[in-house]
Amino acid sequence: MDRGELVEYVRAQADGVISTLGPDGSPQAAYLPITATDRGELVLDARTSSRKVANVRRDPRVAVVVGGRDGTTLQCEGTADLPDGADRDACARAYLDAFPQFEASLADPDVVLVRVRLTWARHGDYRPGVSSSQDVDLRVGIRRVRADDWRSARALRLDALRDEAAGLAFLETYEHAAAEPDVFYQGRTARAADGDEAAQFVAVDGSDWVGSVTVIAQRAGTLDYHGRPIEQSRATVVGVFVRGEQRGSGLIDRLLETCAQWAGDLGFELLTLGVHRDNVRAQGAYRRAGFAPSGVTFESTIGTEIEMVRHLRPGVQRDTSDNSPPGVG
Ligand SMILES: CC(C)(COP(=O)(O)OP(=O)(O)OC[C@H]1O[C@@H](n2cnc3c(N)ncnc32)[C@H](O)[C@@H]1OP(=O)(O)O)[C@@H](O)C(=O)NCCC(=O)NCCS
């Protein structure tokens, strides 16, 4: 089960038991309606005077069990808070979608929404003839774009071009990209959605796009996107961007590994990229992902770039989309 499936499961079950820690550390449990936001946070409501609200204010650690009646359950652990502002609005939307009958109760100043951000979850299925239990992959999902994603692709690109690192990262300016007509993004997204010439992989947190990497096939005898002749066929990584709140989370490693897998499956032995010589953060991430400077430097519209290369063994890249520890699989 992944995060999206967890959301569907919680919404379908719609209730469960939450256990909080009382003043002396003893567990206190309550049964109540529960739903989930698009991002996979659990949401419930509670009276401000309730034990659970006092408990999570003192100690946010909670355990929750969702479901049970049909022989399936979701055991969860995480931290609870009482969100405000935009976070509360997102929780309220999810809660009212699931439980429109509680609209009046949410307007009551003595009622608060409790949000649980999960650190661990396990799905169990003990229906007749089945006996399985599986840890849920709570990480942000990564997938290839679809042609109809062009609006989100455009929005993420424009945000990337407004990032404070954009001057060292991208060959294009925000003004140039913002002036491109819709048909440009429609075409580019469609080309990256299918086929063997290019693939854009995006990280999606609920409905928010939080990162993107594109990999393009570059055949020997053609020119690369800088206009340089390509001597050996290769796949090249471009448009690397992870939103600030996801930096340092390891998401970039998974995005780059997805590109390596795509290129390896197509038989490419080289995965390359160009990075500005002063973009030390990106260079650090690339080194960790198995790239090394090739010794080639070149001038582009943003200044001096270093070429970095990762050697691929076609078809056998490490798949980091599962929960295997590094080095396994
Ligand atoms: C480049 C990018 C995708 C990297 O993802 P990230 O999640 O930030 O990368 P990480 O933090 O996991 O790794 C960066 C590495 O540089 C190090 N680092 C972090 N901040 C740093 C800084 N200010 N200076 C030097 N090194 C830094 C990190 O410690 C890490 O190295 P480590 O593995 O040895 O610990 C992301 O920062 C980004 O989107 N930047 C803006 C766009 C961009 O520069 N794109 C690349 C174009 S080539």
Side-chain angles (χ1 to χ4, degrees), residues 160 163 165-166 168-170 239-243 246-253 273-276 279-286 288 305:
D163 189 274
L168 287 184
F170 306 114
V240 178
F241 178 65
V242 168
R243 282 197 196 278
Q246 289 286 341
R247 290 185 192 161
S249 71
L251 179 58
I252 185 58
D253 303 63
L273 52 84
V275 54
H276 194 285
N279 195 347
V280 282
R281 181 167 194 148
Q283 289 170 31
Y286 298 147
R288 206 177 52 223
E305 296 203 44

Side-chain angles (χ1 to χ4, degrees), residues 16-80:
V17 173
I18 181 168
S19 181
T20 54
L21 295 169
D24 62 356
S26 56
Q28 298 179 345
Y31 169 77
L32 69 185
I34 297 179
T35 192
T37 64
D38 290 342
R39 289 183 163 179
E41 303 146 323
L42 305 185
V43 185
L44 45 120
D45 78 354
R47 296 225 147 257
T48 49
S49 55
S50 64
R51 296 189 310 173
K52 60 181 121 11
V53 167
N55 288 348
V56 301
R57 282 197 161 117
R58 193 177 46 249
D59 187 334
R61 290 174 298 163
V62 298
V64 182
V65 175
V66 176
R69 275 186 307 272
D70 63 355
T72 68
T73 65
L74 185 73
Q75 296 166 265
C76 308
E77 293 171 8
T79 53

